[in-house]
Amino acid sequence: MRHPFELVAVTPGSMGCKPPLRSPPPSGRLRRAGRSPLTDQGVPMISRQSIRSLALPLSLGVALGSCVPPPSQPAAPAPATSATPAPAAARSGARPLAPLTRAEQNALPAIEQTLVRPPGLPPPITRRTPAKVVIHLEVREVTMPLADGATYTFWTFGGSVPGPMIRVRRGDIVELHLMNHPSSTMPHNIDLHAVTGPGGGAASTFTAPGHQTQFTFRALNEGLYVYHCATAPVGMHIANGMYGMIAVEPEEGWAPVDREYYLMQGEVYTSGNYREPGLQPFDMRRAINEDPAYVVFNGRDGALTGTNALTGRVGERVRLFVGNGGPNLISSFHVIGEIFDHVYSEGGSTVNTNVQTTLVPAGGSAIVDFGLEVPGSLVLVDHSIFRTFHKGTLGMLRVEGPDNTVIYSGREVDEAYLGDYAPQAAAGTDGAALQPGEQTFNGVCSACHQRTGAGLPPVFPPLASSDYLMADKTRSIRAVLAGLSGPVTVNGTVYNGAMPPLANLTDHEVADVLTYVRNHFGNHGDAVTVSEVAAVRATLVTPTPSGHP
Amino acid sequence: MIPAARWSSTLLLSALIASAATAWGQRAPQSAPDLRVIRGGEYRPFYRLTGRERVTVRAFALDARPVTNERFLAFVRANPAWQRTRVRRLFADQDYLAHWAGDAELGPAARPSQPVTRVSWFAARAFCEAQGRRLPTEGEWEYVARASDRSPDAPRDPATTSRILAWYGRPNATLEDVGASRPNYWGLHDLHALVWEWVEDFNSALVVTDSRDNQGPGVARFCGAASSGAADVGDYVAFMRYAFRQSLRGSYTVRNLGFRCAADIAPGE
C-alpha cells in the first residue's frame, strides 16, 4: 500500500493546495484515429518508469511548500477574477478555465475518439491544449448473455454495457453524434452528466430509430461523469443497460499509473431469478420495488471473472474508473485484499486516502487507485454483500509476480483447533470437567469462602483442606441445597453462622461445584454426580424447584 | 363538410352505428370486416400538460388492423407520386419503403400481409385520404389503446402490460402478419406489440423540440422530470408510446412504425 503519493496526502489544512495527484502526464501518447467501431483493443499500458519519475517532483513539491491558489469558495469568491466579468464558460468548475471564443472553437483541431470495449478505455490525454473531440456513439438494442444460459435484450450505447468510456480534457469541445440503429424498437437519447446545459444533451439528442442527431458542448468541469439514456420511462432505459461514463481529465491530467480499468455496476430486473436460463424479459414490478434479480459489474454475471478477470503485476499501480449506472442501488465498492490509496470521491476533485470501501451513488462514480504489492486474486465487490453472493457483483483482478512475505506471509499455520470440542477428562479428576464448577465457585461461593477457599475465620469457614467438607459428601450436598445453620467445627475451629440455601443451582451445577472444591484447595476426593445431587434434593423436607430455568 | 365521393361510406357507417347501439354496454360493436365502430367517451389523459383533466372522444371508426404491405402496394400503384423513387424527400426520408424490392414490388423482405412500415406521416396520411378516411388523432388512438381483451378501460391490466413489455424484450428482427394477435375489447387487432402507429397529431402532446426554450411542456420530457406530468407513472407502455411519437418528424420512416386509418361518424345519425 505504501507509495510516494502518501507523503502528500491532502489534509484539511492543505485543502487549498493543489491536489498532489495532478502532475504533467508523460508525453507522446496522443491517439488520433479515424472514426472506428468499438474494438477489443487491450487496456492501455503506461510504462513503469512513469510512476518512478513522478515520485521525486512530488516530494520536492511538498518540501518547498508549493501550492496553487485555493479553489474559489462559495462563501468567498476569488477576488482576483472579479475585476472583469468573466465569460460564461469561466464560471463553471472549481478553478478558472480560459474562455473560448466561437472563432477559437472553430479553429480547434478535431480528434475522432476511438471507442474501446469495457473494461478497456481510451488512453490518458497528453495534449496540453484544448481540442474538439468528436464522438460517434451508436445505440443498439441487442440480445446478449446476462449469465451463463440466461440472455437479455439490452439497450446499449456502442453495443456494450456499460457504453464505451469517453475521455476528454477539461476545456475541450465535445461534438457528440448519437446514432440510433434502424433495428431499434425505441427512440433514445443521451444525458451526459459532464454537460452544462438543459438535460445534459437529452433533448438535443432525442433520436428515432434509424436516425441520428448531434450536439456540441464544452467540458467545463473535470471529473468522472455518468452518461445515460433519459428517454421516458428513464429507469427502464437505464436498467436495460443504457449508461456509461465520460472522464474529463484536469488540464494537467491525472497522475500516471501502470494500468487503468473501467467498470460500472448496474442492476437488471428480470422476471426470472438470478441465473434462471432463457431470454429474460424486463420485470417492471421488480424494478419499481427496487428488487433486482441481478446486480452486476459491466453488464453481466461474470463479466470480470475467470478468463475475463482484470490483470496486474506486482509493483504496478492500478486505477479503476468505477461508475454506478443504478438505476436504483448505491454501491459500497470494495476490493477484497486491497486498500484504496486514493479515492476521488464521487468522481470529483477531493482526494481521500487510505479508504477501504467507497460509496458510489446511482448515477455517480469514484476514481480509485492502489499499488499492487503481492500476488494473488483481488476480489471486486459491492460490500452490500448479499448482492455479491446472490446477484452477481463479483469481479477479479489477478495479480502476478513474486511473493513479498513481509507484507503478506501467506498461510503460516494450518492445524486442528477443537476449542471446547476437545476430549473431556473424566469428571472428578483434574480435567476440563472442573471448569464449569470453578465458574460457579467464583460466581457464587467465593463471596464468603474466598477465591482461595480459605474462608474468613471466624465468620466463614474454610473449604481449603477442610475436614468437615471431605468427611461427608451427602452433608455437603445438603448444605448447598438447603443451607447450613448453627455451630460447625471445621479444622478444629467452631463457626456459628448461616449459609443460605442455593437451591436455585441446577443439579448439574451443584455436582460440578462440589466436585471442584473437593479436588482443589488441598482437597482430594471423588466426584459428586448429578444423580447424587438429585437424590439429596428429593429428600429435602420442602421440595424446592429443581434449579433455575 | 363531407365530399360527395365519401357519402356512401359515411352513410354505411351511420347505419352500422345505429345497429350497434343496442349492444352497447355488453360488447364492442361489430361492423364491416375492416372497420370497427368506437363509441365515444372520455378519459384521463396520460399527460395532463395540455391543462385538460379529461379528454373527450366522439364516436368514430377505426381500421381493425394496421395497413398491410399489400394495401399500401395498391395505393402506390394508383398514386405513383408515392412510389419510392418518386416521392419528394420533404415528404419521406431516404429509408421510405426501403425494404421493398422496387417501386411497385414487395419482394422477399416484405410479405403482403405484414404491416407496412418505413412510411412517413405524409405518406400514411395520403393513403388514408385516398380511402376516404384519415389518420386517427392521438386522443382517439390512446382511447382505444386503453382497452384490454374484456374492458374498454384497463390501462393497467397487468397481463396486457406484461405482454406489451415483453414485446420490447424480443429482438426486433421480423414482423408478424397483421391480425395474428387477439383482438381487444373494441375488436381491434395489433394495437400493441406489433408496430408503432402514426397518429394525425403525433407531436402535439409535447410540442417543443429543445428544452432551451425552457417553457412549455417540453421541459418535462426527459429523465425523472418526465414523470411530473404523467397521470400514471406506472403506465410504462404509455410512456413509451409518447416518447416514441415525440422522437418523430413528419418525413421520418422507421422499421417498426406503421399506421391504420380512422373515419368520422356523422353526429346525430
Side-chain angles (χ1 to χ4, degrees):
Chain A
M1 257 48 74
R2 293 203 169 276
H3 55 85
F5 304 155
E6 276 190 10
L7 297 171
V8 291
V10 175
T11 63
S14 66
M15 284 297 282
C17 288
K18 187 174 177 178
L21 287 186
R22 301 202 178 95
S23 72
S27 58
R29 290 189 187 281
L30 180 56
R31 181 181 302 274
R32 286 173 192 243
R35 179 185 156 195
S36 69
L38 207 58
T39 66
D40 276 308
Q41 163 187 335
V43 177
M45 290 285 300
I46 303 163
S47 79
R48 179 92 183 93
Q49 188 61 38
S50 57
I51 185 172
R52 294 204 187 92
S53 64
L54 183 65
L56 182 58
L58 277 176
S59 303
L60 278 176
V62 169
L64 299 174
S66 83
C67 195
V68 297
S72 56
Q73 302 292 319
T81 57
S82 61
T84 55
R91 292 202 187 98
S92 278
R95 295 180 297 162
L97 177 67
L100 204 60
T101 65
R102 172 61 72 177
E104 289 168 333
Q105 175 183 334
N106 292 338
L108 289 178
I111 301 172
E112 173 84 28
Q113 182 145 96
T114 301
L115 302 178
V116 182
R117 184 171 287 275
L121 66 159
I125 291 169
T126 53
R127 276 184 286 117
R128 305 306 306 274
T129 53
K132 182 169 88 172
V133 181
V134 181
I135 312 288
H136 282 88
L137 203 51
E138 185 187 54
V139 174
R140 293 192 78 124
E141 301 172 1
V142 288
T143 301
M144 298 193 294
L146 173 58
D148 288 342
T151 56
Y152 189 79
T153 301
F154 288 95
W155 300 348
T156 73
F157 290 106
S160 64
V161 179
M165 190 164 111
I166 299 167
R167 191 163 192 163
V168 301
R169 180 177 178 270
R170 181 173 183 235
D172 280 352
I173 298 294
V174 183
E175 180 184 290
L176 194 138
H177 300 251
L178 191 72
M179 303 163 296
N180 193 358
H181 194 270
S183 67
S184 292
T185 309
M186 292 287 165
H188 298 289
N189 62 4
I190 188 169
D191 166 359
L192 301 106
H193 292 176
V195 169
T196 302
S204 307
T205 57
F206 192 40
T207 311
H211 291 81
Q212 56 182 316
T213 54
Q214 171 191 335
F215 86 113
T216 301
F217 68 96
R218 189 172 190 211
L220 301 180
N221 296 67
E222 67 210 41
L224 180 61
Y225 297 91
V226 166
Y227 66 74
H228 63 88
C229 181
T231 300
V234 60
M236 182 174 177
H237 283 255
I238 294 173
N240 280 355
M242 299 199 74
Y243 51 83
M245 289 205 286
I246 172 171
V248 182
E249 289 198 18
E251 288 160 282
E252 66 278 16
W254 283 305
V257 294
D258 301 292
R259 290 175 194 261
E260 293 180 329
Y261 290 110
Y262 163 43
L263 61 114
M264 288 188 81
Q265 181 171 320
E267 304 120 42
V268 188
Y269 297 87
T270 55
S271 296
N273 289 324
Y274 181 56
R275 291 182 176 171
E276 209 167 291
L279 177 62
Q280 293 292 328
F282 170 76
D283 189 315
M284 190 181 94
R285 185 49 49 193
R286 280 183 100 142
I288 293 169
N289 291 344
E290 306 189 11
D291 174 31
Y294 290 83
V295 186
V296 293
F297 295 130
N298 285 8
R300 66 156 292 181
D301 187 36
L304 300 177
T305 61
T307 55
N308 302 320
L310 310 179
T311 57
R313 286 199 61 80
V314 168
E316 291 179 340
R317 173 157 296 274
V318 174
R319 173 176 292 134
L320 302 179
F321 293 94
V322 185
N324 185 0
N328 289 321
L329 303 181
I330 292 168
S331 174
S332 300
F333 185 69
H334 177 80
V335 176
I336 300 173
E338 265 298 347
I339 297 157
F340 303 140
D341 298 327
H342 305 97
V343 175
Y344 285 79
S345 298
E346 296 165 5
S349 300
T350 298
V351 181
N352 197 358
T353 53
N354 304 316
V355 176
Q356 59 191 304
T357 300
T358 191
L359 282 177
V360 187
S365 70
I367 309 171
V368 306
D369 67 72
F370 46 88
L372 302 177
E373 313 289 352
V374 296
S377 283
L378 304 176
V379 184
L380 286 54
V381 300
D382 177 348
H383 216 295
S384 296
I385 208 72
F386 272 91
R387 298 173 191 165
T388 298
F389 229 78
H390 297 278
K391 302 190 174 186
T393 51
L394 178 69
M396 293 281 186
L397 197 168
R398 245 198 311 276
V399 183
E400 294 181 347
D403 279 327
N404 183 338
T405 55
V406 173
I407 290 177
Y408 185 75
S409 72
R411 189 190 300 258
E412 293 183 313
V413 172
D414 184 353
E415 61 188 24
Y417 168 70
L418 298 176
D420 60 4
Y421 281 22
Q424 307 273 313
T429 61
D430 289 335
L434 296 180
Q435 205 60 29
E438 183 175 9
Q439 286 173 351
T440 304
F441 176 83
N442 292 339
V444 178
C445 316
S446 68
C448 301
H449 295 291
Q450 306 302 299
R451 287 271 176 154
T452 59
L456 279 177
V459 182
F460 302 126
L463 299 174
S465 303
S466 168
D467 56 358
Y468 183 87
L469 171 73
M470 301 305 289
D472 187 340
K473 194 202 295 189
T474 304
R475 184 176 62 188
S476 298
I477 296 170
R478 188 180 298 113
V480 172
L481 290 175
L484 186 62
S485 299
V488 294
T489 302
V490 182
N491 294 348
T493 304
V494 175
Y495 296 83
N496 191 359
M499 173 172 164
L502 301 168
N504 63 329
L505 294 176
T506 65
D507 292 349
H508 196 97
E509 287 167 332
V510 173
D512 281 350
V513 76
L514 282 172
T515 301
Y516 175 74
V517 299
R518 284 167 59 83
N519 287 280
H520 275 76
F521 318 124
N523 301 322
H524 300 282
D526 60 347
V528 174
T529 68
V530 174
S531 56
E532 286 172 327
V533 177
V536 174
R537 194 191 292 271
T539 66
L540 297 179
V541 176
T542 305
T544 53
S546 177
H548 58 78
Chain B
M1 296 292 287
I2 302 170
R6 298 184 189 169
W7 267 112
S8 55
S9 66
T10 305
L11 288 171
L12 171 64
L13 285 171
S14 302
L16 286 168
I17 272 286
S19 65
T22 54
W24 285 5
Q26 296 166 28
R27 271 206 55 76
Q30 299 299 308
S31 68
D34 285 342
L35 273 176
R36 296 288 180 269
V37 173
I38 312 298
R39 69 171 181 271
E42 63 171 26
Y43 66 96
R44 195 168 171 231
F46 181 68
Y47 273 111
R48 297 186 299 268
L49 300 171
T50 54
R52 289 180 299 170
E53 279 298 312
R54 311 292 292 182
V55 167
T56 302
V57 174
R58 300 207 325 222
F60 69 107
L62 191 61
D63 282 350
R65 299 169 181 80
V67 173
T68 60
N69 280 322
E70 184 176 33
R71 293 183 67 198
F72 204 79
L73 178 65
F75 165 70
V76 298
R77 280 183 173 148
N79 301 274
W82 288 103
Q83 290 176 2
R84 195 170 70 191
T85 58
R86 301 196 190 188
V87 72
R88 292 169 66 182
R89 248 331 136 249
L90 191 63
F91 294 142
D93 67 22
Q94 70 278 3
D95 285 334
Y96 176 68
L97 298 176
H99 57 310
W100 284 18
D103 265 353
E105 185 186 352
L106 296 184
R111 288 197 306 274
S113 50
Q114 280 179 314
V116 67
T117 58
R118 301 197 202 200
V119 287
S120 67
W121 176 79
F122 292 105
R125 218 163 174 258
F127 175 95
C128 291
E129 281 183 8
Q131 323 295 316
R133 297 178 188 168
R134 59 171 175 79
L135 285 173
T137 64
E138 183 174 81
E140 288 168 341
W141 203 98
E142 289 292 321
Y143 177 62
V144 296
R146 300 170 70 82
S148 67
D149 298 353
R150 296 155 185 266
S151 163
D153 193 22
R156 301 277 320 257
D157 175 52
T160 307
T161 298
S162 68
R163 186 164 52 83
I164 298 168
L165 286 176
W167 176 45
Y168 307 121
R170 284 203 301 270
N172 188 28
T174 59
L175 287 175
E176 301 292 322
D177 291 346
V178 301
S181 72
R182 192 155 52 160
N184 77 356
Y185 170 85
W186 300 108
L188 302 169
H189 294 266
D190 307 320
L191 275 177
H192 305 289
L194 181 63
V195 287
W196 303 104
E197 295 183 14
W198 282 110
V199 295
E200 173 71 13
D201 48 347
F202 65 92
N203 58 1
S204 66
L206 310 155
V207 288
V208 300
T209 57
D210 193 318
S211 71
R212 278 177 300 183
D213 295 351
N214 207 26
Q215 57 186 359
V219 295
R221 270 194 302 177
F222 298 115
C223 206
S227 64
S228 66
D232 181 355
V233 294
D235 193 347
Y236 273 30
V237 178
F239 267 122
M240 292 176 184
R241 286 196 301 270
Y242 280 87
F244 192 91
R245 290 185 199 120
Q246 299 326 305
S247 74
L248 299 173
R249 289 166 192 248
S251 65
Y252 279 16
T253 69
V254 182
R255 266 172 50 121
N256 57 5
L257 174 59
F259 70 101
R260 72 180 74 208
C261 301
D264 289 326
I265 294 172
E269 294 186 40

Coordinates of all heavy atoms in Angstrom, one line a residue, chain A residues 18-52:
Chain A
K18 N -2.8 22.6 -4.3 CA -3.0 21.8 -5.5 C -3.0 20.3 -5.1 O -2.1 19.8 -4.4 CB -1.9 22.0 -6.5 CG -2.1 21.4 -7.8 CD -1.0 21.8 -8.7 CE -1.1 21.2 -10.0 NZ 0.0 21.6 -10.9
P19 N -4.1 19.6 -5.4 CA -4.1 18.2 -5.0 C -2.8 17.5 -5.6 O -2.4 17.8 -6.6 CB -5.4 17.7 -5.7 CG -6.2 18.9 -5.9 CD -5.2 20.0 -6.0
P20 N -2.3 16.6 -4.8 CA -1.0 16.1 -5.1 C -1.0 15.2 -6.3 O 0.1 15.0 -6.9 CB -0.7 15.2 -3.8 CG -2.1 14.9 -3.3 CD -2.9 16.1 -3.6
L21 N -2.1 14.6 -6.7 CA -2.0 13.6 -7.7 C -1.9 14.3 -9.1 O -1.6 13.6 -10.1 CB -3.2 12.8 -7.7 CG -3.2 11.8 -6.5 CD1 -4.4 10.8 -6.6 CD2 -1.9 11.0 -6.5
R22 N -2.1 15.5 -9.2 CA -2.1 16.1 -10.5 C -0.6 16.4 -10.9 O 0.1 17.1 -10.2 CB -2.9 17.4 -10.6 CG -4.3 17.2 -10.2 CD -5.2 18.3 -10.7 NE -6.6 18.1 -10.4 CZ -7.2 18.6 -9.4 NH1 -6.5 19.4 -8.5 NH2 -8.4 18.3 -9.1
S23 N -0.2 16.0 -12.0 CA 1.1 16.3 -12.4 C 1.2 16.1 -14.0 O 0.3 15.5 -14.5 CB 2.1 15.3 -11.8 OG 2.0 14.0 -12.3
P24 N 2.2 16.7 -14.6 CA 2.2 16.5 -16.1 C 2.3 15.1 -16.4 O 3.1 14.3 -15.9 CB 3.5 17.3 -16.4 CG 3.7 18.2 -15.3 CD 3.2 17.5 -14.1
P25 N 1.4 14.6 -17.3 CA 1.5 13.2 -17.7 C 2.7 13.0 -18.7 O 3.2 14.0 -19.2 CB 0.2 13.0 -18.5 CG -0.2 14.4 -18.9 CD 0.4 15.4 -18.0
P26 N 3.1 11.8 -18.9 CA 4.1 11.5 -19.8 C 3.8 12.0 -21.2 O 2.6 12.1 -21.6 CB 4.3 10.0 -19.7 CG 3.0 9.5 -19.2 CD 2.5 10.6 -18.3
S27 N 4.7 12.3 -22.0 CA 4.5 12.9 -23.3 C 4.3 11.8 -24.4 O 4.7 10.7 -24.2 CB 5.6 13.8 -23.7 OG 6.8 13.1 -23.7
G28 N 3.8 12.2 -25.5 CA 3.8 11.4 -26.7 C 2.9 10.2 -26.7 O 3.2 9.1 -27.1
R29 N 1.6 10.4 -26.2 CA 0.7 9.3 -26.3 C -0.6 9.6 -26.9 O -1.6 8.9 -26.8 CB 0.4 8.8 -24.8 CG 1.5 8.2 -24.2 CD 1.2 7.5 -22.9 NE 2.4 7.0 -22.3 CZ 3.0 5.9 -22.6 NH1 2.5 5.2 -23.6 NH2 4.1 5.6 -22.1
L30 N -0.6 10.7 -27.6 CA -1.8 11.2 -28.3 C -2.3 10.2 -29.3 O -1.5 9.8 -30.2 CB -1.6 12.5 -28.9 CG -2.8 13.1 -29.5 CD1 -4.0 13.2 -28.6 CD2 -2.5 14.5 -30.1
R31 N -3.5 9.8 -29.2 CA -4.0 8.9 -30.2 C -5.0 9.7 -31.1 O -5.9 10.2 -30.7 CB -4.8 7.7 -29.5 CG -5.4 6.7 -30.5 CD -6.2 5.7 -29.7 NE -5.3 5.1 -28.8 CZ -4.6 4.0 -29.1 NH1 -4.6 3.5 -30.3 NH2 -3.8 3.5 -28.1
R32 N -4.6 9.7 -32.4 CA -5.5 10.3 -33.3 C -5.9 9.3 -34.4 O -5.2 8.9 -35.2 CB -4.8 11.5 -34.1 CG -4.6 12.7 -33.2 CD -3.8 13.7 -33.9 NE -3.4 14.8 -33.0 CZ -3.8 16.0 -33.2 NH1 -4.5 16.4 -34.2 NH2 -3.4 16.9 -32.3
A33 N -7.1 8.8 -34.2 CA -7.5 7.7 -35.1 C -8.8 8.2 -35.8 O -9.5 9.0 -35.3 CB -7.8 6.5 -34.3
G34 N -9.0 7.6 -37.0 CA -10.2 7.9 -37.7 C -11.3 7.2 -36.9 O -11.1 6.4 -36.0
R35 N -12.5 7.6 -37.3 CA -13.7 7.0 -36.7 C -13.7 5.5 -36.9 O -13.4 5.0 -38.0 CB -14.9 7.6 -37.4 CG -16.2 7.0 -36.8 CD -17.4 7.6 -37.6 NE -18.5 6.7 -37.5 CZ -19.5 6.7 -38.3 NH1 -19.6 7.6 -39.2 NH2 -20.5 5.9 -38.1
S36 N -13.9 4.8 -35.8 CA -13.9 3.3 -36.0 C -14.9 2.8 -35.0 O -15.2 3.4 -34.0 CB -12.5 2.8 -35.7 OG -12.2 3.0 -34.4
P37 N -15.3 1.6 -35.2 CA -16.3 1.0 -34.3 C -15.5 0.5 -33.0 O -14.3 0.6 -33.0 CB -16.8 -0.2 -35.1 CG -15.7 -0.6 -36.0 CD -15.1 0.7 -36.4
L38 N -16.3 0.1 -32.1 CA -15.8 -0.4 -30.8 C -14.8 -1.5 -31.1 O -15.1 -2.4 -31.9 CB -16.9 -0.9 -30.0 CG -16.7 -0.8 -28.5 CD1 -16.4 0.6 -28.1 CD2 -18.0 -1.3 -27.8
T39 N -13.6 -1.4 -30.5 CA -12.7 -2.5 -30.7 C -12.4 -3.3 -29.4 O -12.8 -2.8 -28.4 CB -11.3 -1.9 -31.2 OG1 -10.8 -1.2 -30.1 CG2 -11.5 -1.1 -32.4
D40 N -11.8 -4.4 -29.6 CA -11.4 -5.1 -28.4 C -10.0 -4.8 -28.0 O -9.3 -5.6 -27.3 CB -11.5 -6.6 -28.7 CG -12.9 -7.1 -28.5 OD1 -13.5 -6.8 -27.4 OD2 -13.5 -7.7 -29.4
Q41 N -9.5 -3.7 -28.4 CA -8.2 -3.2 -28.1 C -7.9 -3.3 -26.6 O -8.8 -3.1 -25.8 CB -8.1 -1.8 -28.5 CG -6.9 -1.0 -27.9 CD -7.0 0.4 -28.3 OE1 -7.6 0.8 -29.3 NE2 -6.4 1.3 -27.5
G42 N -6.7 -3.7 -26.3 CA -6.4 -4.0 -24.9 C -6.3 -2.7 -24.1 O -6.5 -1.6 -24.5
V43 N -6.2 -3.0 -22.8 CA -6.1 -1.9 -21.9 C -4.8 -1.1 -22.0 O -3.8 -1.7 -22.2 CB -6.2 -2.4 -20.4 CG1 -6.1 -1.3 -19.4 CG2 -7.5 -3.1 -20.3
P44 N -4.9 0.2 -22.1 CA -3.7 0.9 -22.3 C -2.7 0.7 -21.2 O -3.0 0.6 -20.0 CB -4.1 2.4 -22.3 CG -5.5 2.4 -21.7 CD -6.1 1.0 -21.9
M45 N -1.4 0.6 -21.5 CA -0.4 0.4 -20.5 C 0.5 1.6 -20.5 O 0.8 2.2 -21.5 CB 0.5 -0.8 -21.0 CG -0.3 -2.2 -20.8 SD -0.4 -2.7 -19.1 CE 1.3 -2.8 -18.7
I46 N 0.9 1.9 -19.3 CA 1.8 3.0 -19.2 C 3.1 2.5 -18.6 O 3.0 1.6 -17.7 CB 1.2 4.1 -18.3 CG1 -0.1 4.6 -18.9 CG2 2.2 5.3 -18.1 CD1 -1.0 5.3 -17.9
S47 N 4.2 3.0 -19.0 CA 5.4 2.4 -18.5 C 5.6 2.5 -17.0 O 5.2 3.5 -16.4 CB 6.6 3.0 -19.2 OG 6.9 4.3 -18.6
R48 N 6.3 1.5 -16.5 CA 6.6 1.5 -15.1 C 7.4 2.7 -14.7 O 7.3 3.2 -13.6 CB 7.3 0.2 -14.7 CG 7.8 0.1 -13.3 CD 6.7 -0.7 -12.5 NE 7.1 -0.8 -11.2 CZ 6.7 0.1 -10.2 NH1 5.9 1.1 -10.6 NH2 7.0 -0.1 -9.0
Q49 N 8.2 3.2 -15.6 CA 9.0 4.4 -15.4 C 8.2 5.6 -14.9 O 8.7 6.4 -14.1 CB 9.8 4.7 -16.7 CG 10.9 5.7 -16.5 CD 11.9 5.3 -15.5 OE1 12.3 4.1 -15.5 NE2 12.4 6.2 -14.7
S50 N 7.1 5.7 -15.5 CA 6.3 6.9 -15.2 C 6.0 7.1 -13.7 O 6.1 8.2 -13.2 CB 5.0 6.9 -16.0 OG 4.3 5.7 -15.6
I51 N 5.8 6.1 -13.1 CA 5.5 6.2 -11.7 C 6.7 6.6 -10.9 O 6.6 7.4 -9.9 CB 4.8 4.9 -11.1 CG1 4.4 5.1 -9.7 CG2 5.8 3.7 -11.2 CD1 3.6 4.0 -9.2
R52 N 7.8 6.0 -11.2 CA 9.1 6.4 -10.5 C 9.4 7.8 -10.8 O 9.8 8.6 -9.9 CB 10.2 5.5 -11.0 CG 10.0 4.0 -10.7 CD 11.3 3.3 -10.6 NE 11.1 1.9 -10.5 CZ 11.1 1.0 -11.5 NH1 11.2 1.5 -12.7 NH2 10.9 -0.2 -11.3

